[in-house]
Amino acid sequence: MRLERSFFVHLGLVVVAALFAVLAWTRDEKAAALSVADVTVWAGRADDVERVAFEGKSKTVVLEAKKDKEGRYFVGTTERKTTPPAEKPKDPHQNPDDAEQDDEPPAQAEPTVKTTTFVSVAAGNKLAEAIAPLKALRSIGRIGDDRAAEFGLAEPEGTLTVKLRGAERKLVLGGATPGGADRYARDEATGEVYAIKGDIYRDLDTAESRLLERDLHEWKDVDLARARVIAGDKRREVVRSGDEGKKFWADPASPEQNDETVGNWMTKLDRLRPTEYVAAAPEQKELVVRIEYTGRSGDIGFAELVKGPPGASGKPDYFLVTERTRLYGKVPVGVAEQVEQDVGAVVK
């Protein structure tokens, strides 16, 4: 009996201790969350962001904020430096057997710079929300030069400059925090060091892929009511019919009959996604097709496919622009060719 009573007493103490541990952990978590929310590196709003610039070890990224009737978006430019491997100069009179004994250092190749232009809508606005206001995970405080290497600030990864309503704020990005997910950073204005979310650095370091806009439209398929397909001097109206989840394209004269030819062609068109953008419209462009989309309350967007002159491969490049992308984006040639070949069956 005493053994059983002792067992239950110990069991009760374990349960009570566990409850206190959970309460303490929950309290600490709430306090930590509150602490994170209170650590503000600089204030501002996403709409205040006018320009974002990142200067890294081998690349420069610049995002310029724009606004039109469709909303805010960013036009980005990256310049990435690449240094080819050094090559040892060849002496045509040198005996091949003596080549390994030649101590002449290899010639240093000149670095090349690749410039990329891109449009960023969803990812660009998300980045703006992350940096204005800029919240830190925690504050480290000011550190001496003797500890700079400890936080990766002796040889930083780059400098982030944000223009907020005409005023610039600078952040030096250092090394990764333990675990590698986040980054140490120092505010140039105050000298304070913080731990910030690593997504900011990753977005800028690989901006041409992470920030590039691939969605053609903001609206969804359920918003569509009609479309106008224009190719040359031919045009055709089609309507969106069917129940939710089973939508199809049809001719206005028979809206309840699924037109599979139009539907398959529209699907191919929707598969076109920009792989890169160009700052200016392609020279000598030829319009392949233009689609104007209408919702229940009026026009909601468009898509325009054009092709340029034949390139080095002998085939032309194809470019697509929509109300969301704003700039012409290069699209895969194979799918674009199919869209061009089949458009005659849609607007015949």
Side-chain angles (χ1 to χ4, degrees), residues 162 166 214 293 299 341 344:
V162 181
R214 293 181 175 84
Y293 300 99
D299 294 340
Q341 292 166 3

Side-chain angles (χ1 to χ4, degrees), residues 68-199:
D68 58 17
K69 64 179 183 178
E70 302 295 334
R72 275 173 60 87
Y73 65 101
F74 292 83
V75 175
T77 304
T78 65
E79 292 184 356
R80 183 182 290 274
K81 293 182 181 179
T82 303
T83 303
E87 294 185 1
K88 194 172 184 179
K90 294 182 179 180
D91 184 355
H93 305 292
Q94 184 181 35
N95 187 331
D97 296 334
D98 298 334
E100 295 183 359
Q101 301 177 5
D102 192 349
D103 294 331
E104 184 178 353
Q108 186 65 43
E110 289 293 327
T112 60
V113 178
K114 180 182 179 181
T115 302
T116 304
T117 300
F118 61 93
V119 174
S120 186
V121 185
N125 282 304
K126 184 177 179 181
L127 175 63
E129 292 172 359
I131 59 180
L134 178 61
K135 297 287 187 177
L137 299 173
R138 61 184 180 278
S139 175
I140 309 300
R142 297 184 182 184
I143 61 172
D145 292 341
D146 58 329
R147 297 189 62 198
E150 180 182 342
F151 298 94
L153 293 168
E155 296 182 4
E157 294 296 330
T159 301
L160 169 65
T161 304
V162 181
K163 188 176 182 181
L164 298 167
R165 290 203 170 199
E168 287 190 347
R169 301 300 302 264
K170 289 189 177 182
L171 201 67
V172 178
L173 301 178
T177 60
D182 302 309
R183 287 269 162 182
Y184 291 115
R186 182 178 61 225
D187 184 1
E188 285 287 81
T190 64
E192 294 284 332
V193 176
Y194 302 90
I196 65 170
K197 291 183 178 180
D199 286 340

Side-chain angles (χ1 to χ4, degrees), residues 20-298:
F20 274 110
V22 170
L23 289 172
W25 176 82
T26 304
R27 180 193 61 200
D28 292 343
E29 285 294 305
K30 289 181 179 178
L34 181 61
S35 174
V36 168
D38 287 342
V39 180
T40 301
V41 181
W42 60 62
R45 301 180 307 156
D47 288 346
D48 297 335
V49 177
E50 300 174 359
R51 188 174 187 269
V52 179
F54 171 71
E55 294 185 15
K57 294 178 179 179
S58 62
K59 74 180 308 180
T60 300
V61 181
V62 176
L63 292 170
E64 297 282 355
K66 308 286 184 181
K67 190 173 183 179
D68 58 17
K69 64 179 183 178
E70 302 295 334
R72 275 173 60 87
Y73 65 101
F74 292 83
V75 175
T77 304
T78 65
E79 292 184 356
R80 183 182 290 274
K81 293 182 181 179
T82 303
T83 303
E87 294 185 1
K88 194 172 184 179
K90 294 182 179 180
D91 184 355
H93 305 292
Q94 184 181 35
N95 187 331
D97 296 334
D98 298 334
E100 295 183 359
Q101 301 177 5
D102 192 349
D103 294 331
E104 184 178 353
Q108 186 65 43
E110 289 293 327
T112 60
V113 178
K114 180 182 179 181
T115 302
T116 304
T117 300
F118 61 93
V119 174
S120 186
V121 185
N125 282 304
K126 184 177 179 181
L127 175 63
E129 292 172 359
I131 59 180
L134 178 61
K135 297 287 187 177
L137 299 173
R138 61 184 180 278
S139 175
I140 309 300
R142 297 184 182 184
I143 61 172
D145 292 341
D146 58 329
R147 297 189 62 198
E150 180 182 342
F151 298 94
L153 293 168
E155 296 182 4
E157 294 296 330
T159 301
L160 169 65
T161 304
V162 181
K163 188 176 182 181
L164 298 167
R165 290 203 170 199
E168 287 190 347
R169 301 300 302 264
K170 289 189 177 182
L171 201 67
V172 178
L173 301 178
T177 60
D182 302 309
R183 287 269 162 182
Y184 291 115
R186 182 178 61 225
D187 184 1
E188 285 287 81
T190 64
E192 294 284 332
V193 176
Y194 302 90
I196 65 170
K197 291 183 178 180
D199 286 340
I200 296 174
Y201 170 75
R202 287 188 288 272
D203 282 348
L204 294 168
D205 187 52
T206 55
E208 60 269 46
S209 59
R210 286 176 68 99
L211 298 182
L212 182 142
E213 186 60 51
R214 293 181 175 84
D215 291 338
L216 303 182
H217 312 284
E218 184 175 0
W219 43 264
K220 305 301 180 184
D221 183 70
V222 294
D223 301 323
L224 273 174
R226 307 175 71 89
R228 184 183 303 110
V229 183
I230 305 169
D233 58 354
K234 298 180 180 179
R235 61 180 56 206
R236 180 184 177 186
E237 299 273 349
V238 290
V239 297
R240 197 68 169 145
S241 298
D243 299 327
E244 187 173 348
K246 295 182 180 180
K247 293 286 187 177
F248 57 84
W249 288 103
D251 191 272
S254 51
E256 300 305 320
Q257 183 177 346
N258 182 4
D259 190 324
E260 294 185 359
T261 299
V262 175
N264 291 336
W265 184 81
M266 283 289 200
T267 299
K268 290 177 183 178
L269 181 73
D270 290 340
R271 284 169 51 199
L272 293 174
R273 290 292 185 274
T275 56
E276 60 181 282
Y277 288 88
V278 291
E283 295 183 3
Q284 303 176 3
K285 68 179 186 295
E286 177 186 344
L287 179 65
V288 175
V289 67
R290 177 181 172 90
I291 302 90
E292 297 173 346
Y293 300 99
T294 303
R296 292 175 177 81
S297 59

